[in-house]
Structure formats: structure tokens, C-alpha cells
Amino acid sequence: MATARLHLDPAFTVGPVRPRTFGAFVEHLGRCVYEGIFEPEHPEADDDGFRTDVLALTRELGATSVRYPGGNFVSGYRWEDGIGPVEKRPTRLDLAWHSSDPNHVGVDEYMTWCAKAGVEPMMAVNLGTRGVQEALDLLEYCNVPSGTYWSDLRRANGHEEPYRIKMWCLGNEMDGPWQIGHKTEHEYARLATETARAMRMIDPSIELIVCGSSASDMPTFGRWEATVLEEAYDYVDMISAHAYYWEKDGDLNSFLASAVNMDHFIDSVTAAADYVRAVKKSDKRINISFDEWNVWYMDRAESVPPTGDDWPVAPKLLEDHYNVADAVVVGNLLISLLRHTDRVASASLAQLVNVIAPIMTEKGGRAYRQTTFHPFAITAANATGDVLQVGIDAPTMTTTRFGDVKAIDAVATRDTDTGTTNLFVVNRAPEEATELRVDLRALSGFAENNISSVQAVTYHHDDHTWQATADDDTTVVPTANKTARIDGHELVIELPAISWSHIALSH
Ligand code: AHR
């Protein structure tokens, strides 16, 4: 069996773990809202129509924030349609997903749901078909206490206290030609800057996220970030990044190494932001909101919206069924996000329910966990304290897309309050198991026997194409990895091929 080694030292940290790294996303798309979080006719729906089984799974997942209402949807959205008496709300065409939206869920329902789920809201404004004024109206509705038209309307709608939403996205993927109201980088830079400047006049405490690129292979990537930030730098806090990965044309090795692309993407956006910082001679740093990331098989039939006169409410769209390899990739993408905790200030797994999601529902029936649920939930629950720098010596694997890459990838966090070091590790080799050895001397202060316990779980199945269903989401779950042991000054553990593991060390 091949051997890999990890080197870590608590003196070398990247920065604190940011709870916002574990955000998710709810878009008016397919069955994410309707039949996902909201289904008043469901036997487990609460008085507000929210599915309590989905709420429970959201909490178990450990989602910390939820972005809303889109996505591509937001670029044609009139937020005013979703407030006030439900029976008076209009049904509108959703051009982004060729669907109809009855607007039974809007800003107030979303905020009620966030409070129940215990997540921070992240609101996106429409900069596709709309502009500065509509963003200001929404902000006034949400964050101004009282005494103005929109704030008093919120109170009249039964929500006395202002929501004081902190995170606001200035549109969505405005670089994409598919976006309603798609813009050039110069057009978007102007609009985003003016919207941001005016929004800050209402509430200077908000955190604003300007649109970066919708993928690192967009033709405008890099130039878009620099141009937008040259104009918006002083008015925004973060720039967004979006990335989706899938096993394209059966190229499993490249897919398993997807985090190599995410690492490079984050480093490139950071470089573009810091280039503008240098030009502006600014002390301020712009961080990244990685507010859409996941595995998404976008070339499958599930991702094709209806056409013609068919404008259904909540059609089955983007309902990818994930396998074990997909879960390993999701776990690895989280490793990449955590390792960049110095610059990735927020992230959102896209999405939460039914639409490329860790949680699936049946209409009127069960809710269940997809394979990708597990690495996310375990990482969110255990990554606390500081992220440590990790040196990795590992055998390489060959990929068509990225050349030779390390077969092992890992990140470590150390929490001095709980006396725990947590390792999150993937073996992305398609066939080779690897023995991992971790030098513990620096971690245990060079004192012998200072590690009081080692607990490890591994997510793996000999058939990496296994998928969870509503009937069976428990055949493959993370299980104790009994090979984990202390050998002298090293932790030793065997990592099967295509596996994700969590190792907790108490000291
Ligand atoms: O998450 C699905 C879609 O992917 C979002 O609506 C859009 O922003 C992105 O292209």
C-alpha cells in the first residue's frame, strides 16, 4: 500500500474557521422552495407551511446561512410580488427556469423560515431587470425599523421588528450571457457601484457582495473581477465566485481532483482583488463569497427547463442523484474552502433541497439525505477553532485536466477551547488505498502520549456509484475507521480509494 504523510504545527495557522463557510442556498427553482422547504399540505408541515422534516435535516446538515431568492431567478424577480396577503399575490412567469411562480413564499416567509432553521439570511437583489431603486426599497422593507412607506408595510404585514439582514448580493452571475439583463463588466461595475453606494446610505452596516465570475473558464474571467472592483472597491466587502463540477465524459480522475480547480480559482480571484488593492493603494482587503459551489451534472436531462407553452409551478429540475464519488468531491471542495479561510469569508453550497441538493423530498412523503449530506454535516459540526497549514507528501495520480496531482488532500483545524484537532482527508485515487501517517510531535507539544483519543470515520463504498434513495439512505454512511491508531509519534490510518475521512484527536 502507498504511504502519504501530513505535517502540521499549531504555530502555523491560516486563520479562524468562519462559520459562514457552511452556508447553503434556496432558490425559486424547481422544487427547492415549493415541495422543498414549503409544502403546507404535507403531514409534517408546521403552521406556516414549512416542512419540519426538512427543517430538522437543515439543522443536522449544519447550514449556517442561506442565500435567497436566486440564482438566475433573481434577475427577473419583483420582490414586492411576494409580500402581503397570499391570496392577492400574482403568479408570474419565471423566465430563468421557464416556470410559473405563485409567490406563496416571499421575503417574509423566507425570514420566518431562516429563524426556524437557525440560519443567517443572505439576500440577493435583482440587478438584471431592475436597478438601484428596487434594491433600496427592499433594503428599506427589511432593515429600517419603522416610520417609512416600506418599513411600515413590513410592520403592517405582521413583522414589527426589522430583519437587519447583513449580507446582500448585488445581483447574480451578471457576466453570464444566459442571465436576464446580462451586462458587460463596465455596465455591471457602474450599476453595482451605484446600488452599493445608495444601499449604504440606508444601512452602512450591511456587507455587500459584488458579482465575480460565474465560472473560472468564463471568457471574461479575471478581467471581469479587476474591472468591477476598480469601480466598486470602496463600496463592497466581498466578490462572488461560483463553481460546479461533474464527471464529464467519464473522466473520473479529473472529476475526483476537482478541488485543484477550486484552489486555483480562489487564488486567481484573490490575485485580481489584490491587484486592484495595489493600484488603489488601499488598506482594505476584498474577500471572496463562494456563494455557489457543488457537483452538478448540468448536461443531464434533469437540468433542461420546460419549453413552449408549458410553464409549470415547481417542476422537477436539477434533481441530481449523487453517488459516493460525488460526496468525496464535495468533501474535498469543503477542504479547499477551509484551507482558504483567510480569503473565503463566506460560502454557499448550491443548493439546499431537491435542486442539486444534499436533502431530497417526496411530495407528501419522505425527506432523505443524499450522499453529499455526510461530508458537509460532519465538517460543519467539527471544523472549529483555527485552520492549520498542512504539508502533504503523497503519491500522485494522473488526470487529463490537471496533470499529475496529489492523491491525498487534507485540511486540519485546531480548537484550543475543546482541546481537539480535526483532520478532514480525501483519498481521491480511483483504485489505490493509501496508508496515511501524521506526525503528531508538534501537535502534542513534543510530549509523549499527549493525544488522549483518536476517533475516525470514513465515507466509502466499494461501488463508488452507489446512490441514496428515499427507500435507502443508510446503506452507505460514514462508519468508524478501525485502522486509525497511534504508532509512536504518528497517527496512522488507512484510507480506501475514493474516500473521505474525518479524524478527531483529543489532547
Ligand atoms: O444553482 C443553479 C444555478 O446555477 C443558479 O440559478 C445560477 O446562479 C447558476 O448558474
PDB file of all heavy atoms in Angstrom, residues 5 60 150 167 287 322:
ATOM      1  N   ARG A   5       2.122  11.301   3.887  1.00  0.00           N
ATOM      2  CA  ARG A   5       2.415  11.911   5.188  1.00  0.00           C
ATOM      3  C   ARG A   5       1.861  13.328   5.245  1.00  0.00           C
ATOM      4  O   ARG A   5       1.920  14.066   4.271  1.00  0.00           O
ATOM      5  CB  ARG A   5       3.925  11.982   5.424  1.00  0.00           C
ATOM      6  CG  ARG A   5       4.537  10.633   5.665  1.00  0.00           C
ATOM      7  CD  ARG A   5       6.052  10.718   5.886  1.00  0.00           C
ATOM      8  NE  ARG A   5       6.598   9.369   5.808  1.00  0.00           N
ATOM      9  CZ  ARG A   5       6.554   8.489   6.801  1.00  0.00           C
ATOM     10  NH1 ARG A   5       6.026   8.820   7.957  1.00  0.00           N
ATOM     11  NH2 ARG A   5       7.054   7.273   6.649  1.00  0.00           N
ATOM     12  N   GLU A  60     -29.477  19.504  11.007  1.00  0.00           N
ATOM     13  CA  GLU A  60     -28.494  18.409  11.090  1.00  0.00           C
ATOM     14  C   GLU A  60     -27.346  18.631  10.096  1.00  0.00           C
ATOM     15  O   GLU A  60     -26.192  18.308  10.386  1.00  0.00           O
ATOM     16  CB  GLU A  60     -29.212  17.083  10.790  1.00  0.00           C
ATOM     17  CG  GLU A  60     -28.328  15.864  10.972  1.00  0.00           C
ATOM     18  CD  GLU A  60     -29.046  14.589  10.542  1.00  0.00           C
ATOM     19  OE1 GLU A  60     -30.268  14.447  10.796  1.00  0.00           O
ATOM     20  OE2 GLU A  60     -28.379  13.736   9.937  1.00  0.00           O
ATOM     21  N   TRP A 150     -42.018  51.642   3.202  1.00  0.00           N
ATOM     22  CA  TRP A 150     -41.742  50.206   3.112  1.00  0.00           C
ATOM     23  C   TRP A 150     -41.605  49.560   4.493  1.00  0.00           C
ATOM     24  O   TRP A 150     -42.052  48.436   4.704  1.00  0.00           O
ATOM     25  CB  TRP A 150     -40.485  49.949   2.269  1.00  0.00           C
ATOM     26  CG  TRP A 150     -40.711  50.248   0.804  1.00  0.00           C
ATOM     27  CD1 TRP A 150     -40.185  51.281   0.092  1.00  0.00           C
ATOM     28  CD2 TRP A 150     -41.545  49.519  -0.105  1.00  0.00           C
ATOM     29  NE1 TRP A 150     -40.626  51.242  -1.209  1.00  0.00           N
ATOM     30  CE2 TRP A 150     -41.455  50.168  -1.362  1.00  0.00           C
ATOM     31  CE3 TRP A 150     -42.348  48.388   0.003  1.00  0.00           C
ATOM     32  CZ2 TRP A 150     -42.142  49.721  -2.487  1.00  0.00           C
ATOM     33  CZ3 TRP A 150     -43.032  47.938  -1.129  1.00  0.00           C
ATOM     34  CH2 TRP A 150     -42.939  48.591  -2.352  1.00  0.00           C
ATOM     35  N   MET A 167     -25.957  40.316   5.003  1.00  0.00           N
ATOM     36  CA  MET A 167     -25.298  40.004   3.719  1.00  0.00           C
ATOM     37  C   MET A 167     -26.240  40.234   2.536  1.00  0.00           C
ATOM     38  O   MET A 167     -27.341  39.657   2.488  1.00  0.00           O
ATOM     39  CB  MET A 167     -24.830  38.548   3.717  1.00  0.00           C
ATOM     40  CG  MET A 167     -23.601  38.313   4.580  1.00  0.00           C
ATOM     41  SD  MET A 167     -22.843  36.711   4.235  1.00  0.00           S
ATOM     42  CE  MET A 167     -23.980  35.595   5.036  1.00  0.00           C
ATOM     43  N   ASN A 287     -12.607  40.152   0.276  1.00  0.00           N
ATOM     44  CA  ASN A 287     -12.611  38.697   0.391  1.00  0.00           C
ATOM     45  C   ASN A 287     -13.604  38.062  -0.582  1.00  0.00           C
ATOM     46  O   ASN A 287     -14.312  38.765  -1.307  1.00  0.00           O
ATOM     47  CB  ASN A 287     -12.914  38.302   1.838  1.00  0.00           C
ATOM     48  CG  ASN A 287     -11.702  38.544   2.726  1.00  0.00           C
ATOM     49  OD1 ASN A 287     -10.560  38.386   2.279  1.00  0.00           O
ATOM     50  ND2 ASN A 287     -11.931  38.956   3.956  1.00  0.00           N
ATOM     51  N   TYR A 322     -26.935  11.913  -6.237  1.00  0.00           N
ATOM     52  CA  TYR A 322     -25.488  11.855  -6.053  1.00  0.00           C
ATOM     53  C   TYR A 322     -24.997  10.478  -5.618  1.00  0.00           C
ATOM     54  O   TYR A 322     -25.683   9.764  -4.884  1.00  0.00           O
ATOM     55  CB  TYR A 322     -25.061  12.891  -5.022  1.00  0.00           C
ATOM     56  CG  TYR A 322     -25.264  14.311  -5.510  1.00  0.00           C
ATOM     57  CD1 TYR A 322     -26.103  15.194  -4.840  1.00  0.00           C
ATOM     58  CD2 TYR A 322     -24.620  14.744  -6.662  1.00  0.00           C
ATOM     59  CE1 TYR A 322     -26.285  16.493  -5.303  1.00  0.00           C
ATOM     60  CE2 TYR A 322     -24.806  16.035  -7.131  1.00  0.00           C
ATOM     61  CZ  TYR A 322     -25.632  16.904  -6.451  1.00  0.00           C
ATOM     62  OH  TYR A 322     -25.806  18.180  -6.923  1.00  0.00           O
TER      63      TYR A 322
END
